Amino acid sequence: MPQLRLYKLVFKAKQHEYGDVFTFIFDLPKPIRFQAGQYAHLMLSRIPGGNRWRELSFASAPDEDEMWFSVHVRDESPFKQKLSKLQQGDLAWVFGVEGNFTVPSQTNKPLVMLTGGIGITPVRSMVRSIERQHKEADITVVHVSHDDYLYKEEFLKLSHAQYRVKRGELDEILIKIGKEKPTALYYVAGSEGFVTDMKNKLKNSGVRKDDIKIDTFKGYKSKN
Ligand SMILES: Cc1cc2nc3c(=O)[nH]c(=O)nc-3n(C[C@H](O)[C@H](O)[C@H](O)COP(=O)(O)OP(=O)(O)OC[C@H]3O[C@@H](n4cnc5c(N)ncnc54)[C@H](O)[C@@H]3O)c2cc1C
């Protein structure tokens, strides 16, 4: 069971990313402790007949003044509809910070972030956190998407190696990375189907189980 301590958030702004993907930005009246790559339960005020919270990855870094969440705003989701109608100053809450999809404080291994669609959210948090702390890290970002690439413009400003591919182009890239970075630690995030598929691919290509960390966005269906 998640811990039930509630942290207050104040809605600040909504940013359109592409298609039905939006980023929701909140101010933090008090700092919230979490590690880059973790997720929490974002809770809204009551939704008649519906579940008022969803598990969402933090897309911002822990030391930032504002908190970001990026989601597909689906018409069929009362939660997402309520989220998209928030007005500046409206309250929301976060509880149950969880997850071990985090970067070790010290590692010499190259890090390969292998993400499907919206699964890039925790990777933004990790990459931003590393950048903000001026830490040295050998990071490769592989983003698989069937449409657009979330945070593309922001990531392009970074010096890390990055590939934006369709699913069919992935094998070639993974072989290349496997040869260039044989000791890499892989971080895989996205829908259940994506994570299972990537885990199998990596294991079949000889990556050790201990070198694969996963973040499964349960409840999220994707074509990636
Ligand atoms: C650790 C973790 C981190 C997560 N991080 C994020 C995140 O950063 N951003 C994010 O958007 N989500 C994230 N999720 C998923 C999130 O919690 C929701 O499950 C997801 O966004 C779907 O919510 P919904 O309200 O749209 O659908 P729900 O109302 O929860 O689902 C209703 C039904 O619709 C189905 N469904 C869901 N998505 C689709 C779709 N695209 N097309 C068709 N059917 C669908 C579901 O399988 C379910 O049967 C995360 C989940 C976990 C466990």
Side-chain angles (χ1 to χ4, degrees):
M1 269 296 284
Q3 70 197 59
L4 284 180
R5 180 168 173 190
L6 291 184
Y7 298 91
K8 200 187 280 179
L9 304 180
V10 181
F11 180 67
K12 184 176 179 180
K14 173 170 86 169
Q15 194 167 287
H16 184 224
E17 303 287 0
Y18 66 88
D20 67 352
V21 177
F22 288 82
T23 294
F24 295 86
I25 303 171
F26 295 88
D27 279 325
L28 309 169
K30 283 188 184 165
I32 298 177
R33 283 172 68 106
F34 69 95
Q35 291 177 59
Q38 287 191 305
Y39 67 96
H41 302 69
L42 176 66
M43 188 168 88
L44 306 178
S45 55
R46 220 169 70 78
I47 302 175
N51 188 342
R52 61 192 282 206
W53 55 263
R54 289 290 181 281
E55 291 157 314
L56 296 175
S57 299
F58 297 106
S60 41
D63 62 345
E64 293 191 80
D65 293 340
E66 52 186 37
M67 183 167 277
W68 279 33
F69 297 101
S70 299
V71 303
H72 282 280
V73 177
R74 303 193 310 120
D75 289 346
E76 301 82 2
S77 167
F79 175 88
K80 304 277 182 70
Q81 289 304 314
K82 177 136 192 165
L83 182 63
S84 78
K85 290 192 182 82
L86 287 181
Q87 300 293 313
Q88 201 177 358
D90 282 351
L91 294 185
W93 298 266
V94 152
F95 68 93
V97 174
E98 292 182 78
N100 54 13
F101 192 72
T102 53
V103 174
S105 53
Q106 292 220 317
T107 181
N108 295 326
K109 290 188 173 217
L111 308 174
V112 179
M113 310 299 191
L114 178 49
T115 64
I118 201 90
I120 190 93
T121 49
V123 170
R124 180 181 188 270
S125 177
M126 290 193 275
V127 169
R128 266 183 96 75
S129 175
I130 288 166
E131 290 284 318
R132 290 170 68 85
Q133 292 173 37
H134 306 291
K135 281 190 180 168
E136 294 281 318
D138 175 350
I139 299 176
T140 303
V141 178
V142 182
H143 194 181
V144 185
S145 178
H146 64 271
D147 45 26
D148 217 331
Y149 298 92
L150 182 57
Y151 315 136
K152 178 178 165 187
E153 299 309 320
E154 181 182 334
F155 273 67
L156 281 173
K157 293 183 189 133
L158 305 173
S159 57
H160 309 301
Q162 32 196 301
Y163 301 90
R164 285 172 202 83
V165 294
K166 305 276 175 233
R167 189 71 165 253
E169 300 159 340
L170 187 58
D171 286 358
E172 200 183 320
I173 299 297
L174 289 181
I175 292 168
K176 179 175 181 298
I177 294 172
K179 282 186 188 149
E180 288 172 0
K181 301 181 190 295
T183 59
L185 196 53
Y186 285 81
Y187 285 76
V188 181
S191 66
E192 275 186 288
F194 178 82
V195 169
T196 305
D197 199 15
M198 293 306 122
K199 230 170 38 178
N200 290 337
K201 262 189 207 302
L202 293 173
K203 280 189 196 154
N204 291 341
S205 63
V207 178
R208 288 180 337 127
K209 197 169 152 241
D210 289 351
D211 288 337
I212 307 172
K213 283 194 162 224
I214 59 165
D215 200 23
T216 308
F217 284 18
K218 290 192 202 90
Y220 166 63
K221 285 189 182 156
S222 150
K223 295 181 196 131
N224 297 301

